[in-house]
C-alpha cells in the first residue's frame, strides 16, 4: 500500500483526490472529484458528512493554518504521486465561515505588514539622509571650493543604499578621507572630462584615465583652494 506523505495522526481526517474515476459506494454518484475511504470503500463527501466543507488549495501557509484553527471540522486533501509512490498534500477542506474569518485575519496582517514596511522605509530614508549629509559635509571640508549643490550630488550618488558604491562601504560610512576623495574623483572624471567619450570611442580604461588625469587634478586643486596639494 502506498504511504502517505503525512501520517494520518498528524493530519486528522484525510480526503483523497482520486487519479481514476470512482463512484460512491453508498449513493453511487460519480465520478468523484474528492472521496473518503471508509471500510475500504470510497464515499463521496456528502455521504461522509463532509459535503459542507470548502476546498482551500495549498500554497498560503498562514491562511491554511488559520483556516484550520477557525474550523471546527477540517480534513487534509491528498493525491497519489505515481512517480514518488506516495500521497502528497493538495490542500485542506474547512468550513466556509472559518475560511472567511481566516481571510480577514490575513488581510489584517497584510495591512499591518504594509504599515511596518512604510515605517521601515521612512526610517531608512532618515538614516540615508544622515549618511548623505555627513558625506557631503566631509566633501565640503576637504574641498571647500566645491559648490554646495555639487557636493550634495556627489554624496547622494555615492551613498545610494544597495548600490555598492564607496559611500555605502565601511570606509565611506566612516568618512575616511580616501573614500571621500575617491567619490569626488569619480564624479569629476565622468562629469568634467571627456573620459566617458574616450571609453565609448574604444580607448582602454587605463589609457583613458591617463589622458584625463591632469584635468581631474586641475579641478581638485581648484576645489581644495590656493596652494593645496592634491596628492
Amino acid at each position: 500500500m502506498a504511504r502517505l506523505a503525512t501520517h494520518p495522526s498528524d493530519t486528522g481526517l484525510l480526503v483523497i483526490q482520486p487519479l481514476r474515476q470512482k463512484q460512491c459506494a453508498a449513493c453511487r454518484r460519480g465520478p468523484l472529484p474528492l472521496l473518503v475511504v471508509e471500510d475500504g470503500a470510497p464515499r463521496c463527501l456528502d455521504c461522509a458528512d463532509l459535503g459542507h466543507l470548502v476546498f482551500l488549495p495549498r500554497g498560503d501557509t498562514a491562511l491554511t493554518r488559520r483556516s484550520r484553527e477557525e474550523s471546527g471540522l477540517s480534513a487534509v486533501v491528498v493525491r497519489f504521486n505515481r512517480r514518488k509512490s506516495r500521497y502528497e498534500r493538495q490542500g485542506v477542506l474547512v468550513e466556509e465561515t472559518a475560511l472567511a474569518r481566516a481571510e480577514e485575519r490575513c488581510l489584517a496582517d497584510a495591512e499591518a505588514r504594509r504599515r511596518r514596511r512604510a515605517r521601515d522605509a521612512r526610517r531608512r530614508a532618515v538614516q540615508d539622509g544622515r549618511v548623505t549629509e555627513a558625506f557631503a559635509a566631509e566633501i565640503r571640508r576637504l574641498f571647500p571650493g566645491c559648490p554646495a549643490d555639487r557636493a550634495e550630488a556627489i554624496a547622494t550618488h555615492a551613498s545610494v543604499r544597495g548600490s555598492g558604491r564607496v559611500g555605502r562601504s565601511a570606509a565611506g560610512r566612516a568618512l575616511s578621507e580616501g573614500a571621500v576623495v575617491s567619490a569626488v574623483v569619480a564624479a569629476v572624471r565622468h562629469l568634467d572630462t571627456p573620459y566617458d567619450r574616450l571609453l565609448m570611442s574604444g580607448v582602454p580604461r587605463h589609457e583613458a584615465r591617463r589622458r584625463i588625469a591632469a584635468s581631474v587634478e586641475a579641478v581638485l586643486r581648484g576645489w581644495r583652494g590656493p596652494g593645496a596639494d592634491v596628492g
Side-chain angles (χ1 to χ4, degrees):
M1 180 177 178
R3 66 186 179 92
L4 292 172
T6 305
H7 194 274
S9 63
D10 298 328
T11 62
L13 297 175
L14 284 177
V15 172
I16 297 174
Q17 282 185 349
L19 298 181
R20 299 177 180 176
Q21 292 187 355
K22 298 286 185 178
Q23 287 185 329
C24 177
C27 68
R28 311 308 299 175
R29 283 187 298 176
L32 301 176
L34 297 172
L35 61 86
V36 175
V37 177
E38 290 183 347
D39 299 325
R43 299 282 194 278
C44 69
L45 296 187
D46 286 335
C47 290
D49 296 328
L50 300 177
H52 64 295
L53 303 181
V54 296
F55 179 59
L56 173 62
R58 67 180 181 180
D60 190 325
T61 303
L63 182 58
T64 296
R65 174 175 53 81
R66 287 173 171 171
S67 294
R68 297 192 73 185
E69 290 173 353
E70 295 282 353
S71 190
L73 180 65
S74 65
V76 173
V77 178
V78 297
R79 183 172 60 201
F80 186 66
N81 185 320
R82 288 196 179 99
R83 183 173 62 84
K84 297 181 179 179
S85 297
R86 70 181 186 185
Y87 283 94
E88 297 178 333
R89 284 175 178 258
Q90 302 302 308
V92 295
L93 292 173
V94 294
E95 296 165 346
E96 189 168 6
T97 54
L99 177 57
R101 290 193 297 268
E103 288 173 337
E104 289 176 0
R105 290 171 60 186
C106 288
L107 285 174
D109 277 358
E111 176 61 20
R113 289 194 297 271
R114 186 194 65 78
R115 291 196 298 268
R116 184 166 58 249
R117 287 195 298 270
R119 289 195 302 270
D120 290 345
R122 289 194 294 269
R123 184 178 67 254
R124 288 193 298 269
V126 170
Q127 293 171 345
D128 290 349
R130 290 171 180 168
V131 169
T132 300
E133 183 179 351
F135 204 89
E138 187 63 10
I139 291 174
R140 291 192 297 271
R141 187 186 73 81
L142 294 174
F143 301 95
C146 178
D149 59 343
R150 187 70 186 278
E152 182 71 21
I154 295 171
T156 299
H157 179 78
S159 304
V160 173
R161 181 182 291 268
S163 66
R165 295 172 187 147
V166 67
R168 301 304 303 191
S169 67
R173 292 195 300 272
L175 300 178
S176 74
E177 181 172 341
V180 175
V181 171
S182 176
V184 173
V185 168
V188 171
R189 183 184 295 134
H190 288 289
L191 298 177
D192 299 283
T193 74
Y195 179 68
D196 290 353
R197 292 197 300 275
L198 291 174
L199 294 180
M200 289 297 292
S201 66
V203 177
R205 181 170 60 88
H206 294 296
E207 173 60 19
R209 287 194 176 194
R210 187 192 66 77
R211 293 185 189 182
I212 55 91
S215 298
V216 171
E217 290 185 1
V219 173
L220 297 185
R221 185 177 294 107
W223 285 358
R224 284 187 185 275
D229 181 9
V230 293

